[in-house]
Amino acid sequence: MHEFSIRDRSYLVDEETFVCLSPDEVAFRGLHIWEEAGRGPEGDVRSRLLAEGFPPDSVDEFARELPELSEMLSAHRMTEEVPLSIRNLELHVAHSCNLGCQYCFAGQGAYGLKQTLMSDEVAFQAVDMLVEGSKSSEPLGIVFFGGEPLMNRALIRKTITHAKEHHSNRSFQYSVTTNGTLIDEEVVTLFKENNFTVVVSMDGVGGTQDTLRPYKNGRGSSADIVRNVGSLTKHMPATVRCTLTRRNLAMMEICDELCAIGFRKVHFAPVSAEDDDLRIDMESLHVLKRELLGFADEFIERAKERRPQRFSGFDDLLSQLNRGTTTSVGCGAGRRLVAVAPDGDLYPCHRYVGTSAYKMGDVWQGMDDCASERFRRVNTSTREDCRTCWIRGVCGGGCVHEASRDDGSIGRVADSVMCDYRRTCAEVAIDLLWRLEAEQVKDVLEASDGKTAC
């Protein structure tokens, strides 16, 4: 069992079923004794508690409750598996970018490949492949990605037209991940008419953004994006994805700034970089934990007032904890989603594009069954670092790319701080769930399945 405390509140989490308990002092010690004894007879636990000087009445009460706790902790937990049916495409319509972000995993937009734009032929064939390989009842998703996808906005429009004209009996959901610099009136109209989900990558407002995400000529990008976001959010909601580095750890302050310019929801993720000036270290993690606790306090207040939440970091965790389910897979890469490079090659997701060991076929021949199966077999049971991690049942291993090597092998995560961040988020979310129940506002989760999207 995993033991932790948040402020003055203590918790025990059963690693197999992810049942979370907040026991009193007697029960806390009794459960530890029971665990140390291999979860043996209740009488042995009672004797040791009395020998350690705990009040007999409290010990007897715990001993009466232990069989019920034991049954609950040994009960089968429903496991949710990620479907093995491709429902979503990441179309890399542009392997080119106008920004020169310091930490860019995509090699300034080209993923180590030739800078190029996707052709109509590749995009249309990818959509046809998605439709042919899916069940007629399944809604399908297309993410326009890059580099900077709006550098090929004409293809985005053509792809939507192709889907409507050739697959009018299917339901498509469109989204785009953009740096925000090229959003204009034409783009806003396109997004609004086709009910896009819009995610803008931005690391703050002003100097932080200008330093971390400048144009390739060194000019700051913040002022342009602030103006464009203001034009966009007059017509539709947008989410912002902020990459956390050592230079921008003040999450709540950044959230205030980003919401002030029009964003309705803010998502944070630690940078995936080897640069010691940018990567999150343990000292940074302590700062981030304080920020997460601040967001938890804010979550409670907004829940009481029935106001929409603006921080997305607890959504999936609270939803899963509230449903009482576990998982052995952390994401849908290569399972329900594939990325399509400009040349038509298929990869599990955007993080793998350009790494030949993870190529999964192409849009003309379809998925390579052998390559796909090898990748899809990866789960928390096959991952060495996951098998002993207490949050494996909720995390599912997280982003599998973090444990992937260029030779195609998948071992331990390259940067353990990424896992430390997830474990910290899980502890704060567990505490938050108990607080929501204590404040009698847990119904906000039932009403939205744990998601508090605006």
Side-chain angles (χ1 to χ4, degrees):
M1 300 184 87
H2 174 69
E3 169 189 341
F4 70 95
S5 296
I6 298 286
R7 294 172 176 153
D8 60 345
R9 300 177 292 273
S10 297
Y11 300 94
L12 287 173
V13 179
D14 182 69
E15 297 180 18
E16 293 300 322
T17 62
F18 221 80
V19 169
C20 307
L21 306 172
S22 181
D24 60 22
E25 185 180 4
V26 175
F28 198 87
R29 178 57 184 148
L31 285 167
H32 269 294
I33 294 171
W34 181 65
E35 178 81 2
E36 292 166 4
R39 304 192 175 189
E42 294 82 3
D44 296 345
V45 178
R46 182 180 182 281
S47 299
R48 284 191 54 184
L49 286 172
L50 291 172
E52 291 180 15
F54 287 100
D57 289 348
S58 299
V59 171
D60 289 340
E61 182 181 359
F62 171 71
R64 287 193 298 270
E65 294 174 348
L66 185 53
E68 183 179 346
L69 286 172
S70 175
E71 183 177 351
M72 180 172 62
L73 293 175
S74 62
H76 176 70
R77 200 73 157 173
M78 185 176 73
T79 299
E80 294 182 335
E81 295 295 347
V82 178
L84 293 177
S85 172
I86 301 300
R87 304 175 183 179
N88 301 281
L89 292 180
E90 282 183 339
L91 283 183
H92 286 228
V93 294
H95 267 193
S96 183
C97 190
N98 57 344
L99 294 188
C101 304
Q102 291 190 22
Y103 51 75
C104 182
F105 65 82
Q108 308 302 312
Y111 294 81
L113 305 171
K114 180 177 69 173
Q115 291 210 14
T116 186
L117 302 181
M118 181 178 283
S119 67
D120 298 1
E121 180 186 12
V122 170
F124 298 168
Q125 181 63 33
V127 173
D128 295 344
M129 179 196 72
L130 175 65
V131 171
E132 292 167 6
S134 63
K135 298 176 182 177
S136 60
S137 60
E138 290 179 334
L140 304 173
I142 298 177
V143 183
F144 295 101
F145 208 84
E148 173 45 50
L150 294 182
M151 296 182 78
N152 198 2
R153 66 175 68 186
L155 181 58
I156 295 176
R157 185 179 295 279
K158 289 178 182 178
T159 302
I160 295 170
T161 300
H162 176 83
K164 289 179 178 178
E165 292 181 351
H166 292 267
H167 306 289
S168 58
N169 62 325
R170 301 303 300 272
S171 172
F172 289 90
Q173 299 167 344
Y174 301 106
S175 62
V176 63
T177 299
T178 172
N179 63 32
T181 59
L182 301 177
I183 294 174
D184 56 20
E185 186 175 336
E186 177 192 16
V187 167
V188 172
T189 300
L190 175 67
F191 291 167
K192 188 176 180 182
E193 287 178 346
N194 294 283
N195 197 29
F196 265 67
T197 297
V198 181
V199 180
V200 178
S201 297
M202 192 176 187
D203 292 350
V205 175
T208 300
Q209 168 73 14
D210 289 342
T211 299
L212 291 172
R213 299 177 62 87
Y215 286 103
K216 285 186 175 176
N217 64 7
R219 182 169 69 88
S221 60
S222 178
D224 291 343
I225 301 171
V226 168
R227 180 186 64 249
N228 296 346
V229 167
S231 300
L232 172 68
T233 55
K234 287 179 183 177
H235 301 279
M236 59 190 302
T239 295
V240 59
R241 184 192 185 282
C242 179
T243 299
L244 294 169
T245 72
R246 290 194 199 182
R247 300 182 187 178
N248 61 331
L249 299 174
M251 296 166 73
M252 296 197 73
E253 180 181 334
I254 293 170
C255 188
D256 290 340
E257 295 174 348
L258 294 172
C259 288
I261 66 172
F263 289 112
R264 300 279 297 279
K265 199 81 170 179
V266 183
H267 175 76
F268 292 92
V271 67
S272 178
E274 296 179 1
D275 187 341
D276 286 339
D277 291 333
L278 296 176
R279 65 182 291 272
I280 301 297
D281 59 5
M282 291 306 296
E283 184 177 347
S284 306
L285 194 61
H286 292 312
V287 175
L288 294 180
K289 183 173 183 178
R290 290 197 297 271
E291 296 292 315
L292 289 168
L293 288 171
F295 276 123
D297 293 339
E298 177 185 278
F299 195 107
I300 295 286
E301 293 309 309
R302 284 176 171 263
K304 289 179 180 178
E305 298 166 5
R306 291 303 192 261
R307 295 168 60 202
Q309 302 293 337
R310 58 183 191 154
F311 173 64
S312 72
F314 299 130
D315 288 355
D316 290 340
L317 281 166
L318 287 175
S319 178
Q320 190 174 357
L321 290 169
N322 194 46
R323 292 195 310 272
T325 58
T326 59
T327 183
S328 61
V329 178
C331 72
R335 291 171 171 266
R336 63 171 177 241
L337 171 146
V338 291
V340 185
D343 61 2
D345 285 345
L346 303 176
Y347 297 89
C349 77
H350 59 278
R351 298 303 300 268
Y352 289 97
V353 170
T355 307
S356 59
Y358 293 95
K359 180 182 170 183
M360 302 179 80
D362 60 51
V363 295
W364 293 279
Q365 301 300 317
M367 297 278 285
D368 181 306
D369 291 338
C370 291
S372 302
E373 181 60 26
R374 178 177 63 87
F375 185 84
R376 289 170 170 178
R377 283 199 301 265
V378 177
N379 55 46
T380 52
S381 297
T382 64
R383 291 267 304 276
E384 176 189 355
D385 49 350
C386 293
R387 286 197 294 266
T388 57
C389 178
W390 72 272
I391 64 163
R392 60 188 179 276
V394 168
C395 170
C399 171
V400 69
H401 181 269
E402 294 168 2
S404 301
R405 305 292 179 263
D406 288 346
D407 64 0
S409 63
I410 298 174
R412 303 183 67 85
V413 292
D415 186 355
S416 61
V417 173
M418 303 294 279
C419 291
D420 291 330
Y421 178 75
R422 290 194 189 95
R423 285 187 279 262
T424 299
C425 288
E427 290 183 347
V428 176
I430 289 168
D431 178 57
L432 175 55
L433 189 64
W434 280 87
R435 293 173 65 193
L436 287 169
E437 187 160 6
E439 295 286 351
Q440 298 183 341
V441 288
K442 190 181 173 185
D443 61 297
V444 297
L445 303 182
E446 279 81 10
S448 62
D449 192 27
K451 296 185 184 297
T452 47
C454 304

